[in-house]
Amino acid sequence: APGKDEEMAPASTEPPTPEPPIKPRLEELTVTDATPDSLSLSWTVPEGQFDHFLVQYKNGDGQPKATRVPGHEDRVTISGLEPDHKYKMNLYGFHGGQRVGPVSAIGVTAAEEETPSPTEPSTEAPEPPEEPLLGELTVTGSSPDSLSLSWTVPQGRFDSFTVQYKDRDGRPQVVRVGGEESEVTVGGLEPGRKYKMHLYGLHEGRRMGPVSTVGVTAPQEDVDETPSPTEPGTEAPEPPEEPLLGELTVTGSSPDSLSLSWTVAQGRFDSFTVQYKDRDGRPQVVRVGGQESEVTVRGLEPGRKYKMHLYGLHEGQRLGPVSAVGITEDEAETTQAVPTMTPEPPIKPRLGELTVTDATPDSLSLSWTVPEGQFDHFLVQYRNGDGQPKAVRVPGHEDGVTISGLEPDHKYKMNLYGFHGGQRLGPVSAIGVTAAEEETPSPTEPSTEAPEPPEEPLLGELTVTGSSPDSLSLSWTVPQGHFDSFTMQYKDRDGRPQVVRVRGEESEVTVGGLEPGHKYKMHLYGLHEGRRVGPVSTMGVTEDEAETTQAVPTTTPEPPIKPRLEELTVTDATPDSLSLSWTVPEGQFDHFLVQYRNGDGQPKAVRVLGHEDGVTISGLEPDHKYKMNLYGFHGGQRVGPISVIGVTAAEEETPAPTEPSTEAPEPPEEPLLGELTVTGSSPDSLSLSWTIPQGRFDSFTVQYKDRDGWPQVVRVGGEENEVTVGGLEPGRKYKMHLYGLHEGQRVGPVSAVGVTAPEDEAETTQAVPTTTPEPPIKPRLGELTVTDATPDSLSLSWTVPEGQFDHFLVQYRNGDGQPKAVRVPGHEDGVTISGLEPDHKYKMNLYGFHGGQRMGPVSAIGVTEEETPSPTEPSTEAPEAPEEPLLGELTVTGSSPDSLSLSWTVPQGRFDSFTVQYKDRDGRPQAVRVRGEESEVTMGGLEPGHKYKMHLYGLHEGQRVGPVSTMGITAPLPTPLPVEPRLGELAVAAVTSDSVGLSWTVAQGPFDSFLVQYRDAQGQPQAVPVSGDLRAVAVSGLDPARKYKFLLFGLQNGKRHGPVPVEARTAPDTKPSPRLGELTVTDATPDSVGLSWTVPEGEFDSFVVQYKDKDGRLQVVPVAANQREVTVQGLEPSRKYRFLLYGLSGRKRLGPISADSTTAPLEKELPPHLGELTVAEETSSNLRLSWTVAQGPFDSFVVQYRDTDGQPRAVPVAADQRTVTVEDLKPGKKYKFLLYGLLGGKRLGPVSALGMTAPEEDTPAPEAPEPPEEPRLGVLTVTDTTPDSMRLSWSVAQGPFDSFVVQYEETNGQPQALLVDGDQSKILISGLEPSTPYRLLLYGLHEGKRLGPLSAEGTTGPAPAGQTSAESRPRLSQLSVTDVTTSSLRLNWEAPPGAFDSFLLRFGVPSPSTLEPHPRPLLQRELMVPGTRHSAVLRDLRSGTLYSLTLYGLRGPHKADSIQGTARTLSPVLESPRDLQFSEIRETSAKVNWMPPPSRADSFKVSYQLADGGQPQSVQVDGRARTQKLQGLIPGARYEVTVVSVRGFEESEPLTGFLTTVPDGPTQLRALNLTEGFAVLHWKPPQNPVDTYDVQVTAPGAPPLQAETPGSAVDYPLHDLVLHTNYTATVRGLRGPNLTSPATITFTT
């Protein structure tokens, strides 16, 4: 205690001293708790006191986050984390402006399923749950010292509430509120401070919640905004490395603005920027000074959700963002406005229907209606894939939402609630299934390497073919297969998804109702058999003003020639590309598609324009073989493929030839090739010219391929720079490669393509003008400029100051360095290159092509924008009114089978004329010209029932404006009445013993399919379905010599026509009964015998060979039916065997036939013998022995010696060892060692050696060892023998034993063991064989150890007079099994006559044991058989069970011989149930009846499915059941029903039948307009229409009425009724031959 006082005294009594204060120290940071969205941290401060702490970590996006903690706290909970995520937490302490630390800890948040979010009640079911729910907590007002809160309770009622928050010192504070309240004002707060408020509800003693919100108190109006006095602005003398953003909060909202506030956790920023997207998706930026911490963003749309991003700028770097979502108020947002004009209460809103409008693999789009009133907001509730409840809030003015983050191919139940004036209405529900994930692998790359079309259709490319201010025209290809329909998806200006559906035969569509000057991403999906394939996507931009998008197609009067592909050739190869060329000998294709697989095996496709006859496929791998498939497309049809194999060049052969490596400023030492140009062309030659930008070459070579594909070479001197290559073919394209040679090395190539002039043209490729002698102007490229950049595209523009180019080529390299090229028509002066990567620099090269020559390049550098919204992107200004005329809408105003009438509007200006374009049935473009003052036209000469896409162009001052487009369908021709199909004749075409061939004719009309019905031998109905295009069928599986009646039905549109019958008798079975011939031994070795046999007639199902092994056990070898020989393995040498062969046919076993054979003896081998034994090494307690083997192998070795007590010791050694160390010997003692070799149970040897252990070193004489406590056996002696017994006695040399064991073997090799008490020293062994030698072993058992053995040998006495000796005694043999059934078998054996007095048969089910050498029979049964009989029947056996059999031959009471074997009873065949019948057949149910089979069945399985295919349904019933009712059937449908017997895992053959449910009939039958003698019967028709109705009316004493009325009728008048009479009326429908269920009513006149 005094020490303690002394220690504390200075702290409490001394005044401050000039000594420095204790510097505080951080010690350990620990994670004390984890939830799915938070980690709780705790730390210790062993010394000193910190002003405050800072916890830093990175969020899931890698953004740094910081949380400030007051200095008196030693723990904090970090919330807002991601589930199942690892975080590294760093803790800093701040003291006197200095930063100490960090100390760190790793924490992992819990998985999401552990803690469902408390604010999302798990109320998937639409019924309201029993307990109350908290809704939303909102900050409704703020002052410098208070916050006003309001909340909703969407369900139930709470007893009370508590509001919790932490004050400025971090201490928790609680405010209690009554259960009837829904708002509170929390006072006593600090000005300008952010508080997180938590609301809990209390119900029946349980706390629910919390729901939370963040609020900021207003700043003191008379105080400047300064940092909190407890947070000095300069935390450390060294400023921290970089400032950190804290949290961004929406603090206020109006219809056109949002107020934002934020914190800075560390440091100071120079300025801030707030970014968001306006209603058109354009990014907007608001800049704020660095000293500010709040801003109001104005100019927003009312009732709209905005995501706000805050960035901090510090020393030129941008940090962040931190984000928050805010919703502006509705323009007139009054949740409980009291109407002043009318006393009526406001209309209570009502929810209508909830519908799933679209599904993707990870989202569902929902839409709903509100037929009455207005909701404040909506809530969509569902459960995620883990069963956790989720909720999505939707503003009250919305009527749809897309729920994302779902799992693919998953069913969701969506519940929609509406909230109005604090009350919750609903839910309304809908079930939605997300699309399967496999729908979205890259769909634009069809995997059609092989020319055979795969089974599924594939989408090709989606292209924007036209644009107007309010529409985009799209076209797509389907390179393979056919789709049922398509859907085009895009988002409108407000971000809502829109869907346009298109029929499967279409390949183009115009999407209207778009915004002018807006970019749209269009996604195309194909639907095939209920599955959605795709999407393929493209970007399109609507025009600001009328732009021309299509060239005027030229019409041609010639009839169309069907185009044909001929030859595909590889014309050139580089390390990363293959050039292909092909011919089209006839016709013209719309476009081509080249398909191949890349190096990863992924399918790729390249589209080529129809006027091209070649393409270069780039982006390939060097030295790689590719199979290229070419398809041609014409009029929507695919022709081809034709294929070719190409191999890319090895990489080292062709470095990128077109880009000289002139990066380094120093000129390289070796020369470089520049550009190769075609300067002239004639029918048989091309003139080439090239440049050398650096150095000098010794010579050049020009290489090309001739018409047969053979490479040709032209050599040119090094001083030349041009050459004319002659001997070429007219009108042919050549690719020329130029190589330069320098000091023996080849440089290049550079390449160019040239086309020789046609044969009939003049020598030059250009016509000489007749009016002027000057040559035509050679075109020239001007400047290339980047005019626009987006994150994924660059827009280019160029000038052509002189002349005209045929076309242009823009070349660049993509993000992977692969070269790309875009071809542009010659009349264009700009292009947008899309598919680029964001924030990436590209070098664009432009080439112009004119008359086969390439000019250029001119180049420009462009950089794509960053993917994040660019703050500098200006909003698009409204376009000024264009001066030129505009087209409005094109509409189809009329239709006939051969014409369409069109009408259009011109909203601005005036056109000189119009043209209407469309494609005829053969895909040829047609054009009709209309005068400028017209606004309608009728297009004639069209096909009936055909869909046409009409394009309208306006012509103004030589320019074409448009098109605007529309779809129209001509009227179909009137269709003739369908012909009722009719069956002709059914005939027997062929007959065998088990089949009948039928054929038939169809007298009239087509059938969908046919059905042949007959009854099998058991009387069960059978049916054989046949395709509608067949006229014959073979019915198999019939019984021989049996008469069958076959019925043929024809099916069309679900109706059955017929039947047509025919009878036939199957041929008798002429197969002979099988018979075994002879069994012969073909070969014998020491361990096998080969057998062969004959089958003189008939066929067996299989064979069985039986024999006995050396122990007398029966062995069985099964043989297949088609075999006639077998080799039996695993036999003993020099042993005689008898083999029995049985044939199995059906359930019968025929035979046996037998053969005897003796296996061959083992070949004589020289006997092995031992070599020398030597002592190799000695110690005081061990001796190592070594030996040799002079000849032959041994199974093992044994080393024997005697220990110091004279007891023999043995050391076993493995066969492959030649040394052994004998341990635990006495020091300085001599030992004699004997080595034996063991082979086949015999001991050979010994060889011997003497060895002496070394004397013990420096060891005092040990005390005499204590006598061993272990007992020792003495001597074992046979003291007496009789013909069937021996008497043994033994001695114990030392100590007592607990017990003894005597072991010996019987004559059949069975080991026997006898247990003797430890106080005994003799035993009598009986039951032995006369005159038989026995070896007897004695073991002593002591404390669980077995000691010994001692051994002795003895021979039993001779048999009494009249009995035979062991050598000549009789033997049992030939144990065999016959007449096997499921519960019995007959055992047969052979024995000499009179040799045995009787036989003892023991049998039971064996239980194999690993502890015993033989199976031990359990459940043994015995059967005595007289000695005169050599067979016995074993009864009451278990079916399908293996039995162990032992037969003893007895002489008097003695077992003179025994033989063993095994046999298995038959498994019963599980029979099918019988006599299948149907009763109580209704519209949706029927009863199935059957009779059970004779054999036992555990249960019956009843299965049923629609007869023409469907999902089978099954029900299992008890084995005692005889009937089962089927429910949930479809009215008027035909079902196939099967019943099978079930026993364990075994099922019988099915019993099959067919039933047809009663068609659904009329309902709600009523008698109306009852007057004297008159009434009208009225009914509701069935869902499926009927042909006619049958009306029956009866009454006691009145004549019955029966009438027929058409199937379209719903009432029937009754006349001449008798007054005051009870009538019963029944109405049934007749559908084909089937009557529907009746509707019945009783009425009184």
Side-chain angles (χ1 to χ4, degrees), residues 113 116 122 124 382-390 407 410 412:
E113 63 267 8
S122 57
E124 180 184 327
Y382 64 97
R383 287 183 183 268
N384 66 7
D386 300 323
Q388 297 298 324
K390 294 289 181 182
E407 293 188 10
H410 200 82
Y412 290 87

Side-chain angles (χ1 to χ4, degrees), residues 1118-1185:
V1119 186
N1122 59 348
Q1123 300 292 321
R1124 294 293 182 270
E1125 56 185 27
V1126 71
T1127 298
V1128 182
Q1129 309 272 4
L1131 307 181
E1132 294 287 319
S1134 302
R1135 185 174 179 88
K1136 184 176 177 183
Y1137 291 88
R1138 166 168 281 192
F1139 297 97
L1140 304 177
L1141 174 73
Y1142 295 90
L1144 302 173
S1145 176
R1147 297 185 185 179
K1148 293 182 181 178
R1149 188 171 75 167
L1150 302 179
I1153 54 175
S1154 63
D1156 293 339
S1157 175
T1158 302
T1159 50
L1162 283 172
E1163 296 178 7
K1164 292 291 184 184
E1165 294 179 357
L1166 293 172
H1169 68 266
L1170 296 165
E1172 289 187 356
L1173 176 66
T1174 56
V1175 177
E1177 187 180 333
E1178 64 268 340
T1179 70
S1180 61
S1181 61
N1182 299 337
L1183 287 175
R1184 188 163 68 85
L1185 306 180

Side-chain angles (χ1 to χ4, degrees), residues 384-404:
N384 66 7
D386 300 323
Q388 297 298 324
K390 294 289 181 182
V392 177
R393 180 187 168 112
V394 185
H397 64 278
E398 299 284 352
D399 65 348
V401 71
T402 296
I403 309 294
S404 58

Side-chain angles (χ1 to χ4, degrees), residues 1561-1580:
T1563 55
Q1564 300 179 18
L1565 179 62
R1566 290 180 292 167
L1568 307 176
N1569 302 336
L1570 287 167
T1571 60
E1572 292 186 5
F1574 178 79
V1576 175
L1577 295 178
H1578 180 82
W1579 60 87
K1580 182 181 178 182

Side-chain angles (χ1 to χ4, degrees), residues 159-214:
D159 303 329
S160 63
F161 303 93
T162 59
V163 177
Q164 288 189 8
Y165 66 99
K166 289 190 179 179
D167 64 14
R168 60 177 289 175
D169 299 320
R171 288 189 298 266
Q173 303 293 334
V174 178
V175 177
R176 286 178 176 78
V177 187
E180 67 280 4
E181 301 292 331
S182 63
E183 54 186 25
V184 70
T185 297
V186 180
L189 307 181
E190 295 284 323
R193 186 175 175 86
K194 182 166 74 177
Y195 289 84
K196 186 163 188 182
M197 298 291 182
H198 305 278
L199 175 74
Y200 295 85
L202 282 87
H203 174 67
E204 296 177 359
R206 288 175 53 202
R207 190 172 73 164
M208 297 184 184
V211 292
S212 305
T213 189
V214 174

Side-chain angles (χ1 to χ4, degrees), residues 1262-1527:
E1263 294 178 8
E1266 293 177 12
E1269 297 175 0
E1270 204 170 71
R1272 268 191 298 119
L1273 290 169
V1275 179
L1276 176 67
T1277 312
V1278 178
T1279 58
D1280 190 21
T1281 64
T1282 69
D1284 65 348
S1285 68
M1286 283 186 183
R1287 188 178 296 278
L1288 300 181
S1289 71
W1290 58 90
S1291 62
V1292 175
Q1294 178 178 293
F1297 285 90
D1298 302 328
S1299 60
F1300 302 93
V1301 174
V1302 177
Q1303 284 189 2
Y1304 67 99
E1305 281 192 1
E1306 290 186 343
T1307 54
N1308 60 5
Q1310 291 280 0
Q1312 299 292 334
L1314 303 170
L1315 190 63
V1316 186
D1317 288 338
D1319 56 352
Q1320 302 290 321
S1321 62
K1322 59 182 70 173
I1323 188 174
L1324 176 67
I1325 303 174
S1326 59
L1328 305 181
E1329 299 289 338
S1331 303
T1332 303
Y1334 289 87
R1335 183 164 184 261
L1336 305 148
L1337 303 174
L1338 176 72
Y1339 294 87
L1341 302 176
H1342 175 67
E1343 294 179 357
K1345 289 174 65 178
R1346 191 170 73 166
L1347 304 175
L1350 299 180
S1351 66
E1353 292 188 353
T1355 303
T1356 50
Q1363 291 189 2
T1364 58
S1365 65
E1367 288 77 23
S1368 59
R1369 73 174 180 213
R1371 289 284 185 185
L1372 293 169
S1373 63
Q1374 302 300 329
L1375 185 66
S1376 63
V1377 179
T1378 57
D1379 302 336
V1380 182
T1381 71
T1382 57
S1383 60
S1384 67
L1385 56 87
R1386 179 179 291 277
L1387 196 62
N1388 310 282
W1389 62 90
E1390 293 182 9
F1396 299 99
D1397 300 334
S1398 61
F1399 300 99
L1400 174 63
L1401 183 58
R1402 285 182 180 161
F1403 58 98
V1405 180
S1407 174
S1409 169
T1410 57
L1411 303 177
E1412 297 177 15
H1414 297 283
R1416 178 177 73 248
L1418 290 183
L1419 305 174
Q1420 286 271 348
R1421 291 160 61 188
E1422 291 187 350
L1423 179 66
M1424 290 296 294
V1425 183
T1428 56
R1429 287 174 46 193
H1430 290 176
S1431 72
V1433 177
L1434 310 184
R1435 305 184 187 279
D1436 299 326
L1437 306 181
R1438 290 190 300 197
S1439 60
T1441 303
L1442 180 71
Y1443 281 86
S1444 175
L1445 309 167
T1446 305
L1447 177 71
Y1448 296 94
L1450 303 181
R1451 297 293 299 272
H1454 302 295
K1455 299 172 185 172
D1457 194 18
S1458 66
I1459 187 170
Q1460 291 181 317
T1462 58
R1464 185 185 296 275
T1465 52
L1466 292 177
S1467 295
V1469 174
L1470 186 56
E1471 297 179 68
S1472 304
R1474 296 170 294 150
D1475 195 18
L1476 181 63
Q1477 294 183 0
F1478 305 109
S1479 61
E1480 300 179 22
I1481 300 175
R1482 305 280 188 263
E1483 293 182 8
T1484 61
S1485 66
K1487 184 179 280 189
V1488 185
N1489 309 280
W1490 65 90
M1491 291 298 293
S1495 56
R1496 176 186 61 83
D1498 297 339
S1499 61
F1500 297 101
K1501 185 169 77 173
V1502 182
S1503 303
Y1504 57 98
Q1505 68 179 57
L1506 290 169
D1508 54 358
Q1511 186 70 27
Q1513 306 288 327
S1514 295
V1515 60
Q1516 197 114 353
V1517 298
D1518 186 79
R1520 294 166 295 187
R1522 304 290 181 269
T1523 182
Q1524 175 63 30
K1525 188 170 185 180
L1526 307 181
Q1527 295 183 316

Side-chain angles (χ1 to χ4, degrees), residues 509-523:
V509 71
T510 296
V511 179
L514 307 181
E515 295 286 324
H518 199 78
K519 182 162 74 173
Y520 291 88
K521 187 163 189 181
M522 297 291 185
H523 306 280

Side-chain angles (χ1 to χ4, degrees), residues 12 61 69 113 135 137 316 334-335 553 590 689 804 928 937-938 956 1037 1121 1145 1229 1266 1286 1416 1418 1508 1556 1579:
S12 58
D61 300 324
V69 185
E113 63 267 8
L137 177 65
T334 55
T335 57
D590 302 331
S689 167
Q804 170 77 22
V928 175
V937 70
T938 296
H956 175 67
S1145 176
K1229 185 168 176 61
E1266 293 177 12
M1286 283 186 183
R1416 178 177 73 248
L1418 290 183
D1508 54 358
T1556 301
W1579 60 87

